[in-house]
Amino acid sequence: MNLIRAELLKIRSTSTWWIFLLITLPLWGLTLMFNGFQSAYLLSPEAAEGMSGEDAEQIIAAGDPANVAANLYTNGQFFGVAIVMLLGAIVVTNEYFHQTVTTTFLTTPHRTRVVLAKLFAASVFGLVLWVITTAANLPAGALIMGANDEASYMGDGTVWRAIALNGLAYLLWAIFGVGFGVLIRSQIGATITALVLYFAGYIGAAIFFGVLSDRFGDWFNNLQLLVPSLASQLMVSGTELPGNPPQWAGALVLIGYAIVAGTVGTLLMRTRDIS
Amino acid sequence: MADGQIVVSGLTKLYKNVRAVDNLSFTVEPGRVTGFLGPNGAGKTTTLRMLLNLVKPTAGDATIGGQRYADLADPLRRVGAVLEASSAHKGRTGINHLRVVCAAAGFPRQRAEEALALVGLTPAAKRKFKGYSLGMRQRLGIAAAMLGDPQVLILDEPANGLDPEGIRWMRDLLKSLAAQGRTVLVSSHLLSEMQQLADDLVIIAAGKLVRQGTVSQVMDSMAHTAQVRVRTPQATELTEALRAVEQATITPNGDGVLLVTGVDAPTVGRAALKASVELHELTTERPDLERVFLELTAGKAAIR
């Protein structure tokens, strides 16, 4: 408990957290704009016109108002979890960058506890960001739904499940971030690698699977679940989309990655020389 | 207070193929300032970091008051350490740096203010660390080490970056802490500083123990290097008289002064009397710590 308080104080006592919030804000606005236009398109009756078979099916399913609402209420996830991951990494790499790790481990020789406190503190930050974006998404999303002559769907179970799973995504990405920071101690190295893997992995995997799934079929397409950024997007889709794995599978994959990242990070920290 | 003896036994650290610390054993007693001396690269920092569970020893162990650091229930209440390559977040204020440590160690919040006052940093409490001078940073490190009012203090090169006034402040602080019965272990390569500060010495070179003991014991162990200074108007006659004494090495130093090593002053006096040589001065010059240190560590190059 003391350690968690200390780790939270570490985050609060520097300007990192509000700089991160400031970065998140415009990115949130950007995705809201994009999602606003996309919603209007998906909700319009002519969205699936001129398409055939499976594609039309997908578009119609995505155009389900409950799904559109879920997408709006989880808006900002794409950049939000990246920010959370960065903070998680910095929570660790900061200690090496500013050489505070010596003091930290002198105060607490049981390093496992330190890593756990860091995981917890980063998760708290992730959840705070989730609460803030969700609080902003609810009125903004309701407005967009209203503008398209749809109900707000705020009473809908699938919508709230998507919002809850979105929270889980923020939490899990915070844990990835900490794991990343342990693996790559250099501040710049860890943040840049994490960002490149996140964005390039997302785009690269999307292209990779888009091209190859036609040749290998659906089972191969389902493998994109193994790409963390795609898995977390899948997790927050409101309704099940045809041709896509179920949401819970995305959650399972992310939890698996988080456990691996957390465990590897802890084991590495325990044996590493601090000099 | 609990016994604050530090015992290092058979400590060894291998980095790749280099023996940074090689089967090192020594003890540090409470109530005294112990200087931990060695040239750069001798393994001082590695030894201290192994003692504090920051670096894993390849072999051997080190205990503080009979326990390994990792096993101490309340480490900051037992041991305070100021290490090199240890710092604070540049964007965090001095007081917040100490508050973080207080939070993690479970100390009350006001300990941070008290420790800051102890090192005279209260006026800079709310300044960010990046605005601290080298001396202020060193003081903040000491404040952090004193948060738990520990029985044992371990400092790695604390005088680095301090101005003469800061060095004096540090010396007085460490002496008074030792006088209170605390164990104070200070590493340094500044010998003149140690001569004024330390009661005991542990000298290492190339990762190995060279000498351990009180300052005077270490000096005495090097007594054979003591030289006799003798001044006479009949330098030539005296030189001839001393030639008869086998071990003597004579170096003329101008103005009738001869520096003689290998024999003691009475021997020189007797030789002069026998040869009826007039003497104007006859003194034993003890080597200073600097010379002892250089002789003890000579040839054990720092770059390995």
Side-chain angles (χ1 to χ4, degrees), chain B residues 1 20 66 98 143 174 275 295 298:
Chain B
M1 272 194 205
L98 297 182
L174 296 183
E295 294 215 12

Side-chain angles (χ1 to χ4, degrees), chain B:
Chain B
M1 272 194 205
D3 179 23
Q5 194 189 41
I6 297 173
V7 179
V8 170
S9 56
L11 215 50
T12 300
K13 180 67 183 181
L14 271 168
Y15 284 119
K16 303 252 165 68
N17 293 319
V18 177
R19 284 183 174 271
V21 177
D22 193 357
N23 197 19
L24 182 63
S25 303
F26 62 87
T27 56
V28 180
E29 300 299 332
R32 308 175 68 83
V33 177
T34 302
F36 188 34
L37 285 175
N40 287 331
K44 301 186 296 289
T45 298
T46 306
T47 303
L48 295 183
R49 285 187 172 260
M50 284 195 281
L51 177 60
L52 294 165
N53 191 46
L54 293 168
V55 168
K56 231 190 182 73
T58 310
D61 59 46
T63 58
I64 299 167
Q67 281 179 297
R68 294 187 315 134
Y69 190 84
D71 298 333
L72 293 175
D74 228 347
L76 287 201
R77 287 191 195 282
R78 301 288 301 281
V79 184
V82 184
L83 297 183
E84 284 209 300
S86 167
S87 186
H89 193 296
K90 311 265 176 303
R92 194 176 283 142
T93 62
I95 188 77
N96 273 336
H97 173 68
L98 297 182
R99 281 182 184 149
V100 165
V101 180
C102 279
F107 297 157
R109 236 172 109 90
Q110 73 265 22
R111 273 305 292 158
E113 276 100 26
E114 289 167 17
L116 215 54
L118 179 80
V119 299
L121 272 183
T122 309
K126 290 190 176 144
R127 201 183 303 170
K128 286 188 175 174
F129 185 71
K130 61 182 163 212
Y132 276 29
S133 69
L134 216 51
M136 291 163 82
R137 290 175 184 207
Q138 201 63 270
R139 282 171 191 249
L140 187 67
I142 292 175
M146 293 304 294
L147 281 173
D149 192 22
Q151 154 78 10
V152 177
L153 273 151
I154 294 169
L155 301 99
D156 195 5
E157 305 273 3
N160 271 6
L162 288 185
D163 54 15
E165 195 214 325
I167 289 180
R168 184 148 138 211
W169 169 81
M170 169 91 57
R171 189 195 308 148
D172 293 345
L173 177 74
L174 296 183
K175 278 188 168 171
S176 71
L177 289 172
Q180 291 163 15
R182 297 178 212 253
T183 311
V184 181
L185 177 61
V186 192
S187 89
S188 181
H189 62 276
L190 292 178
L191 299 141
S192 46
E193 176 57 24
M194 274 303 127
Q195 206 160 10
Q196 296 178 63
L197 172 65
D199 304 305
D200 295 335
L201 290 177
V202 173
I203 302 179
I204 68 168
K208 290 186 174 124
L209 184 70
V210 175
R211 279 286 192 293
Q212 158 161 38
T214 63
V215 172
S216 58
Q217 277 171 355
V218 171
M219 306 287 269
D220 286 348
S221 77
M222 297 303 290
H224 65 274
T225 66
Q227 63 181 8
V228 178
R229 179 189 165 90
V230 55
R231 197 156 62 86
T232 169
Q234 302 160 269
T236 326
E237 286 87 338
L238 183 61
T239 305
E240 262 166 33
L242 281 172
R243 282 270 150 75
V245 186
E246 294 228 333
Q247 315 92 318
T249 316
I250 304 145
T251 321
N253 203 21
D255 200 20
V257 173
L258 299 176
L259 298 175
V260 187
T261 54
V263 293
D264 55 5
T267 313
V268 176
R270 271 195 301 277
L273 182 63
K274 225 165 122 187
S276 304
V277 171
E278 183 182 343
L279 291 188
H280 291 175
E281 188 185 335
L282 178 62
T283 47
T284 305
E285 288 187 335
R286 289 167 58 92
D288 63 1
L289 192 53
E290 181 114 17
R291 256 192 61 212
V292 172
F293 177 74
L294 286 175
E295 294 215 12
L296 285 174
T297 59
K300 289 163 186 162
I303 299 156
R304 289 180 289 155

Side-chain angles (χ1 to χ4, degrees), chain A residues 19-111:
Chain A
I19 290 175
F20 273 37
L21 280 187
L22 276 184
I23 297 172
T24 312
L25 214 65
L27 293 175
W28 174 84
L30 199 71
T31 51
L32 184 74
M33 211 169 71
F34 174 79
N35 277 324
F37 287 128
Q38 195 194 33
S39 302
Y41 164 73
L42 285 172
L43 288 172
S44 65
E46 60 274 11
E49 252 174 38
M51 292 187 186
S52 60
E54 213 174 302
D55 286 344
E57 235 177 86
Q58 281 227 2
I59 291 289
I60 289 166
D64 179 345
N67 188 52
V68 173
N71 186 44
L72 285 172
Y73 296 142
T74 58
N75 168 59
Q77 190 211 46
F78 181 65
F79 290 118
V81 297
I83 295 284
V84 167
M85 170 182 67
L86 279 190
L87 186 100
I90 283 177
V91 158
V92 182
T93 54
N94 245 344
E95 298 255 7
Y96 292 99
F97 187 74
H98 294 287
Q99 301 188 324
T100 50
V101 64
T102 295
T103 306
T104 299
F105 286 148
L106 281 177
T107 311
T108 318
H110 300 280
R111 299 184 187 176

